[in-house]
Amino acid sequence: MCGIYGFVGDSKNLDSNRIDELIRHRGPDDHGTYATDNLFLLHRRLSIQDLSILGHQPMVSNDGNFIICYNGEIYNHIEIRNQLIHKYNFKSTSDTETLLYGFIEFGVSLFNKLNGIFAFSIFNCITNEVIIVRDHFGIKPLYYYCDDEKLVFSSELKTISNTDGVSVSIDSKGLLNYLYYLWSPGSRTAIQQIKKLEAGHFIRINTLSPKDYVIEKYYEIPFSTKKEIKDYKYWESELEEILLRAIERQLLSDVPVGFFLSGGLDSSLLVAMYRKLYPNAPIKAFTISTGKEFEEEGFGDDLYYAKLVAKHLEVDLTVTESNIDILKCFDHMIWHLDEPQTDLAPLHVENICRQARKENCYVLLSGAGGDDLFSGYRRHQTLNYHKLLKLIPFGSKLLKFMASYITKPMGRRILKYVSAYDSQSETMSMVNSYGWYDLEGVRALFSSGIQDEIKKFDPRTLLLESLSNIPEENNVLNQMLFWDIKYFLVDHNLNYTDKLSMSQGVEVRVPYLDKDLVEFSARLPVEYKMKGTVTKYILKKLAEKYLPHEVIYRSKTGFGAPVRHWIKNDLKNLVNLKLSEEQLLKQGIFNPKEVSKLIKENIEGRVDGSYTILALLAIESFVRQFIPNQIKN
């Protein structure tokens, strides 16, 4: 796991030391560069496989014709190497070298042979072509910028925005995404000139003509409508086999491997299945302890369950206190995220990874992805509620009335559900459930100039149009899971997990996103994903072989922070300072009167606007740190 940076074009005036400093945290173990007249590559290495100098990057092929600069882990690289070993002379045991010769042998068709997490570039010195690729599910980040003279790409946006000759300005449509979803789906970032390379895509570019690049798709999540007539036991048995194999694959490492153990189903099942694979092996796991203010907002303290699982499976569990100094950490978090995402869970990831690093544990396996593959979110359950609501006269009005008498957080959830599903079609109801605040209310927060720019832009269009990538006849739940895997997981959860773990020099792996497992979930009949309102049905039934009942069937909790409490208390002064009329006029992005109205109505309890206010703070922080020329003196 590493950090990569590439500059295609005339790089003789590039300040490579500055770039190296910005990305150093991703690879504290080694540093390397490669340069020609029209290409510069920089690599920062976190040594996981083949810790010797033989794993140094950028890596050059034996004949000197190909150079690779790579971030990631290829879990099936031994199988691929075995197909190549008769023809190529391998000098190391690193997966980097396997990728290099695999590409020489197979070209871009190699990508679909890979099972792993990756973002890398390969330069062909003979043809002057560079291929830049991102993994199937966007587990590893990759950003790029292009103008008439150059293309710049990197693991982190900050290295691109700080490259000499790169001009940046706000992307108003991207900012609308961040306010509506609290993250931005697809290629858009908060900067107009810098894009995310989407999962399952690669860039093809010639170093002699950097502006003439093309982007090609090599993979799509294979949801289909084909029915496989097999009984439940078949599906559960296959799930168990694939998940055990995924865990074993992802243990591939020359340094110690540990686990996130939240006490929830997904992470607990991974640890339990590891125990089955290795009955006598020591297990190192890490968890976090929160507190009462977290519980009041629906983030239950998982510590009891984490300790229960640790005792059940004989796990050496390290408990890290949440200890989030939000005033001190907020700008720091946005800087590492590279995007104005609105979630404080990244700080939990950072705290856990900091402790893991102290204990010499440089690789952690995470339960991320279980909810997205097998239906673990509350919005999935509301599909059933929506059908019932349509049968009840004035059902929406009745629910709104009831919500006003129900204690938080349940009352908030009911109101959010009603606002999402009180629409003309099931598809629109479905996409609305991803929005965090009323879309027109979000638009009104922008200044008049930006409102003109975004008046024809609907952030929901990308999700709606993406459904053309899977058969139209797919069940509605599968359509939501497609969005969860393709957008919510990639652009929200995986981004913050990667960025804040790598800020501490720790690699996080995600067994639930093993390629075979994702493709299994796409084939799995929907009735085994959610049965009635029981989410993750098949995963829970499988877990009964491995875990105590109270761990499997406990109430779902989030992995976040008490944003509503903090906005009205700990962050009150920051809100008043950063979202004051004076400061907002300097940035020229938001309408001070509408922002002030939102803050006032949130304090009075007339709207649930705390996350939207936090999104405003995140955008303010991002613009100040990444686009300082936007701020008027």
Side-chain angles (χ1 to χ4, degrees):
M1 194 68 65
C2 309
I4 64 172
Y5 173 90
F7 187 108
V8 182
D10 183 359
S11 62
K12 63 178 178 291
N13 295 321
L14 183 68
D15 186 350
S16 61
N17 290 329
R18 184 183 187 191
I19 301 302
D20 184 55
E21 282 300 314
L22 287 168
I23 205 168
R24 176 187 294 269
H25 54 273
R26 293 189 71 94
D29 299 326
D30 193 17
H31 160 267
T33 60
Y34 173 89
T36 67
D37 290 343
N38 295 298
L39 177 68
F40 174 82
L41 300 173
L42 183 148
H43 187 268
R44 267 285 170 185
R45 185 184 184 198
L46 175 62
S47 300
I48 302 297
Q49 293 185 53
D50 193 340
L51 310 184
S52 74
I53 193 64
L54 295 175
H56 178 78
Q57 293 190 53
M59 183 179 286
V60 183
S61 62
N62 291 330
D63 60 10
N65 290 336
F66 291 84
I67 295 91
I68 185 170
C69 191
Y70 157 58
N71 167 34
E73 303 291 345
I74 305 301
Y75 306 124
N76 65 334
H77 91 92
I78 299 299
E79 297 98 291
I80 293 172
R81 178 172 290 207
N82 287 338
Q83 300 174 42
L84 306 168
I85 203 161
H86 67 285
K87 188 173 179 180
Y88 299 95
N89 180 26
F90 288 91
K91 297 177 180 177
S92 75
T93 59
S94 74
D95 56 343
T96 307
E97 194 174 15
T98 303
L99 273 182
L100 179 58
Y101 291 110
F103 183 83
I104 293 170
E105 181 69 15
F106 301 116
V108 297
S109 64
L110 169 70
F111 304 153
N112 275 320
K113 297 177 185 292
L114 302 176
N115 191 324
I117 55 180
F118 55 86
F120 63 88
S121 67
I122 290 188
F123 174 49
N124 184 329
C125 302
I126 306 301
T127 64
N128 292 311
E129 184 177 68
V130 180
I131 299 291
I132 307 159
V133 62
R134 190 178 183 193
D135 66 57
H136 307 82
F137 309 116
I139 301 164
K140 293 288 92 190
L142 194 65
Y143 299 88
Y144 68 95
Y145 163 101
C146 191
D147 60 26
D148 287 344
E149 299 175 344
K150 59 187 170 292
L151 184 143
V152 189
F153 63 92
S154 182
S155 302
E156 301 206 351
L157 181 147
K158 64 180 68 66
T159 57
I160 301 176
S161 65
N162 280 278
T163 295
D164 292 332
V166 167
S167 175
V168 296
S169 57
I170 63 166
D171 186 328
S172 56
K173 296 172 183 175
L175 296 185
L176 180 57
N177 279 343
Y178 288 107
L179 270 182
Y180 181 65
Y181 291 114
L182 309 184
W183 43 276
S184 182
S187 63
R188 285 192 186 278
T189 72
I191 292 178
Q192 185 175 350
Q193 299 81 1
I194 301 178
K195 305 298 182 186
K196 293 173 278 186
L197 180 62
E198 293 192 68
H201 287 70
F202 67 90
I203 296 173
R204 192 188 294 270
I205 184 171
N206 192 289
T207 59
L208 303 181
S209 183
K211 68 177 181 178
D212 297 322
Y213 70 95
V214 294
I215 297 177
E216 300 180 37
K217 181 195 285 190
Y218 70 88
Y219 184 82
E220 186 59 271
I221 306 161
F223 281 91
S224 73
T225 55
K226 181 181 177 182
K227 298 283 186 181
E228 296 188 41
I229 311 302
K230 294 164 182 171
D231 64 15
Y232 172 79
K233 283 298 180 185
Y234 164 84
W235 292 106
E236 184 181 300
S237 176
E238 187 175 356
L239 171 59
E240 183 173 26
E241 180 183 337
I242 294 174
L243 189 48
L244 283 167
R245 190 165 64 239
I247 294 165
E248 190 156 30
R249 273 189 187 131
Q250 298 197 22
L251 298 173
L252 184 66
S253 175
D254 292 328
V255 297
V257 176
F259 290 84
F260 281 96
L261 180 57
S262 68
L265 170 64
D266 300 334
S267 62
S268 299
L269 183 56
L270 294 182
V271 178
M273 296 184 87
Y274 174 87
R275 174 56 76 212
K276 177 178 180 176
L277 289 166
Y278 300 98
N280 301 312
I283 302 177
K284 184 63 189 172
F286 299 84
T287 194
I288 198 154
S289 174
T290 56
K292 185 175 180 181
E293 63 183 12
F294 285 70
E295 293 179 31
E296 290 173 352
E297 292 205 20
F299 299 108
D301 195 340
D302 290 331
L303 185 57
Y304 166 79
Y305 296 98
K307 287 182 174 179
L308 179 65
V309 173
K311 183 178 180 181
H312 179 70
L313 299 171
E314 298 181 334
V315 172
D316 177 9
L317 180 66
T318 294
V319 179
T320 302
E321 297 297 324
S322 60
N323 290 337
I324 295 176
D325 185 340
I326 187 60
L327 291 173
K328 181 180 178 181
C329 296
F330 192 71
D331 281 347
H332 160 88
M333 180 186 77
I334 297 299
W335 174 253
H336 276 294
L337 285 171
D338 286 316
E339 300 180 37
Q341 284 180 251
T342 307
D343 197 331
L344 299 176
L347 296 175
H348 292 328
V349 172
E350 184 179 45
N351 282 342
I352 289 173
C353 290
R354 182 184 295 115
Q355 185 60 41
R357 182 84 189 181
K358 285 179 183 177
E359 297 188 27
N360 299 315
C361 193
Y362 302 154
V363 178
L364 293 177
L365 269 60
S366 162
D371 289 326
D372 309 84
L373 267 62
F374 298 106
S375 81
Y377 297 120
R378 293 185 182 95
R379 60 175 168 264
H380 302 147
Q381 294 174 306
T382 58
L383 290 173
N384 292 307
Y385 302 148
H386 184 50
K387 293 174 184 176
L388 294 173
L389 192 64
K390 290 294 184 184
L391 301 175
I392 303 172
F394 308 106
S396 294
K397 291 181 179 179
L398 180 61
L399 271 183
K400 287 179 181 178
F401 175 77
M402 290 171 58
S404 64
Y405 289 93
I406 297 174
T407 57
K408 300 174 183 178
M410 184 56 68
R412 286 194 303 264
R413 290 171 185 157
I414 291 174
L415 287 173
K416 188 173 188 292
Y417 158 69
V418 172
S419 63
Y421 283 85
D422 191 18
S423 62
Q424 67 275 25
S425 74
E426 188 173 44
T427 303
M428 285 307 298
S429 295
M430 190 169 64
V431 76
N432 286 343
S433 69
Y434 289 81
W436 198 264
Y437 197 77
D438 173 68
L439 181 55
E440 293 313 309
V442 168
R443 290 184 192 277
L445 293 171
F446 287 96
S447 64
S448 57
I450 290 184
Q451 284 192 37
D452 290 339
E453 296 174 11
I454 63 174
K455 63 184 176 183
K456 294 183 179 179
F457 176 71
D458 189 330
R460 300 168 297 185
T461 300
L462 176 65
L463 272 66
L464 292 169
E465 291 181 347
S466 73
L467 292 178
S468 64
N469 292 304
I470 60 174
E472 189 176 338
E473 298 80 12
N474 258 278
N475 179 279
V476 176
L477 177 60
N478 271 348
Q479 292 178 341
M480 292 188 82
L481 295 176
F482 177 73
W483 286 339
D484 288 326
I485 300 168
K486 190 174 180 69
Y487 297 116
F488 177 71
L489 185 61
V490 177
D491 298 310
H492 182 54
N493 290 352
L494 293 177
N495 185 63
Y496 77 64
T497 298
D498 173 88
K499 298 292 179 55
L500 274 298
S501 63
M502 291 304 293
S503 78
Q504 301 303 309
V506 171
E507 171 181 308
V508 174
R509 300 178 179 180
V510 279
Y512 286 105
L513 296 183
D514 175 273
K515 186 167 177 280
D516 290 347
L517 187 57
V518 174
E519 293 178 354
F520 165 84
S521 76
R523 292 167 40 225
L524 180 68
V526 291
E527 61 265 28
Y528 299 141
K529 297 175 184 179
M530 184 168 67
K531 189 174 277 288
T533 57
V534 178
T535 56
K536 293 192 286 195
Y537 176 80
I538 192 171
L539 210 59
K540 289 175 178 176
K541 296 299 289 183
L542 173 61
E544 290 177 3
K545 297 181 181 181
Y546 291 91
L547 293 166
H549 187 274
E550 64 179 306
V551 173
I552 301 167
Y553 293 101
R554 54 173 294 202
S555 298
K556 182 176 178 60
T557 61
F559 185 57
V563 169
R564 295 175 180 87
H565 173 83
W566 283 352
I567 285 292
K568 295 178 181 179
N569 296 278
D570 305 58
L571 292 174
K572 183 177 180 180
N573 290 337
L574 187 68
V575 169
N576 291 336
L577 175 65
K578 298 299 183 184
L579 302 183
S580 68
E581 180 176 6
E582 180 184 3
Q583 292 299 317
L584 292 177
L585 289 174
K586 283 183 178 180
Q587 289 196 346
I589 299 171
F590 297 110
N591 181 330
K593 290 184 179 179
E594 289 297 324
V595 172
S596 177
K597 177 184 173 185
L598 172 66
I599 295 169
K600 182 174 184 291
E601 290 183 346
N602 186 64
I603 291 172
E604 294 171 349
R606 294 165 59 193
V607 298
D608 183 15
S610 292
Y611 277 85
T612 306
I613 294 167
L614 188 66
L616 292 168
L617 287 176
I619 291 170
E620 187 281 332
S621 175
F622 179 90
V623 170
R624 179 165 31 87
Q625 295 186 84
F626 287 83
I627 321 176
N629 61 346
Q630 175 71 30
I631 303 171
K632 302 170 187 175
N633 294 324

